[in-house]
Amino acid sequence: MQTLANWNGGGPGPWILFFPLIWAAVVIGVVTVLRRTAWRGRGRGGPWPAMADPRPTGDSPLAVLGRRFASGEIDEDEYWRRLSVLDEQFGRVGKGGGPA
């Protein structure tokens, strides 16, 4: 009986058994690359910055203003007054404090 892994010549020999291993290595490599690049950054906006969190972070003027209001350094009237000035300067926020 002839088989694909014929050891005596005539067939492809034992090397045919390596092809499934090569395909498995390729699939594992692709999944590993995707997990380390695109899938890992999904919560932070990942490779698509348009999907990033629109809330101000770091030392931006809006973030500083929000922290000062949250800590009680300024009252609500002062917060809205300064927010309107920042809105005129940067044009990023609407009246409700969200993106325009």
Side-chain angles (χ1 to χ4, degrees), residues 52-84:
D53 191 3
R55 292 180 292 187
T57 59
D59 293 331
S60 72
L62 293 174
V64 172
L65 181 64
R67 281 195 300 270
R68 289 187 65 196
F69 178 63
S71 68
E73 291 181 41
I74 58 175
D75 62 354
E76 186 177 359
D77 293 332
E78 181 73 11
Y79 172 79
W80 286 112
R81 186 177 66 76
R82 290 182 184 218
L83 187 63
S84 67

Side-chain angles (χ1 to χ4, degrees), residues 6-7 9 22 26 36 38 41 43 50-51 64 74 78 86 88 91 96-97 99:
N6 187 2
W7 300 90
I22 292 171
V26 168
R36 290 182 176 257
M51 305 277 299
V64 172
I74 58 175
E78 181 73 11
L86 290 175
E88 290 174 8

Side-chain angles (χ1 to χ4, degrees), residues 6-72:
N6 187 2
W7 300 90
N8 300 359
W15 299 108
I16 197 166
L17 300 176
F18 286 108
F19 289 117
L21 296 175
I22 292 171
W23 279 110
V26 168
V27 169
I28 290 171
V30 168
V31 168
T32 301
V33 167
L34 286 175
R35 290 190 70 184
R36 290 182 176 257
T37 57
W39 292 343
R40 178 173 290 184
R42 197 179 335 175
R44 297 183 310 258
W48 304 280
M51 305 277 299
D53 191 3
R55 292 180 292 187
T57 59
D59 293 331
S60 72
L62 293 174
V64 172
L65 181 64
R67 281 195 300 270
R68 289 187 65 196
F69 178 63
S71 68

